[in-house]
Amino acid sequence: MRKAIGTDRRRSPERVIEVLCEIGAHVVALQEADRRFGERVSALPAHLLEEHSPYRPVPLPHRTGGIGWHGNAILVHKDVEITGCEALHIPALEPRGAVLGEIRIAGEGLRIVGMHLDLSGLWRRRQSRAILHRVDQGEPLPTVMMGDLNEWTNGGCLRDFGHGFAFAPTGRSFHARRPVAALDRIMFRGLQLANCGVHCSPTARKASDHLPIWAEFASTG
């Protein structure tokens, strides 16, 4: 969400929240959700989320004024139960990270990972392996991982993730004005994909330089 700065160079958290409400997901993974400098406060003020959306952030134990870890944040619908959360420390050349949340939706457990990977292919592969290692150490839950992988090719970190996860064929999301690349990805296991796509409303095309991607899943149980 590029710290709520849109393609018109205006900072508008209200516009980002409008897009979130258009999509209406149970779970949202955000990248660049916090300001980069100073106290790194959230680019989505808490009172705006509370008053104008059905979402709340998954709380991270170290959080101060922001809602994420190196800009990565997970929002869940207020009806979703949060059972666990963790900031993932991954190897990085740039200030990058990932976040993990464990939730229950209608009594079904689910693990969510949000990430924003490095611009360097070498570091992206190190990061993908670190994330996969952490996920494989946890309880065997249906898992959805998503975020900006910064991968322009079909190899690299996509190959690493593809060993254990399927990819939702959402489509191209970057650049919002003229999408030419599928930099943003949704990966899953233990679930059945029902539908997926890119959300390209007029507001979404202005709210960020990336268009939101989405997927709907059904339990395999």
Side-chain angles (χ1 to χ4, degrees), residues 5-6 13 57 60-61 70 79 90 93 97-98 104 108 144 148 163 180 221:
I5 299 174
L60 297 171
H70 290 305
D79 292 338
I90 59 178
L93 180 63
R104 296 187 71 82
E108 297 285 339
V144 178
D148 180 358
H163 289 314
V180 297

Side-chain angles (χ1 to χ4, degrees), residues 53-178:
S53 86
Y55 295 106
R56 58 190 172 115
V58 171
L60 297 171
H62 65 277
R63 194 177 75 202
T64 54
I67 62 172
W69 169 245
H70 290 305
N72 294 281
I74 298 173
L75 304 181
V76 296
H77 193 278
K78 292 173 182 176
D79 292 338
V80 172
E81 179 187 359
I82 301 169
T83 59
C85 56
E86 182 181 343
L88 303 187
H89 297 260
I90 59 178
L93 180 63
E94 307 169 85
R96 302 287 188 181
V99 289
L100 182 150
E102 293 185 352
I103 61 176
R104 296 187 71 82
I105 301 177
E108 297 285 339
L110 183 65
R111 178 182 294 111
I112 302 294
V113 178
M115 67 188 78
H116 190 179
L117 301 191
D118 207 285
L119 295 174
S120 161
L122 174 62
W123 286 94
R124 283 196 300 273
R125 298 205 67 181
R126 291 174 177 172
Q127 291 164 349
S128 64
R129 291 165 182 168
I131 292 168
L132 288 167
H133 177 74
R134 169 59 188 86
V135 169
D136 288 339
Q137 299 306 304
E139 178 185 354
L141 287 173
T143 299
V144 178
M145 305 197 298
M146 48 190 164
D148 180 358
L149 305 192
N150 268 318
E151 185 63 73
W152 289 77
T153 72
N154 289 324
C157 69
L158 299 187
R159 187 180 299 113
D160 297 329
F161 286 125
H163 289 314
F165 284 79
F167 287 84
T170 54
R172 298 171 179 175
S173 57
F174 181 84
H175 187 278
R177 288 181 175 172
R178 185 181 179 184

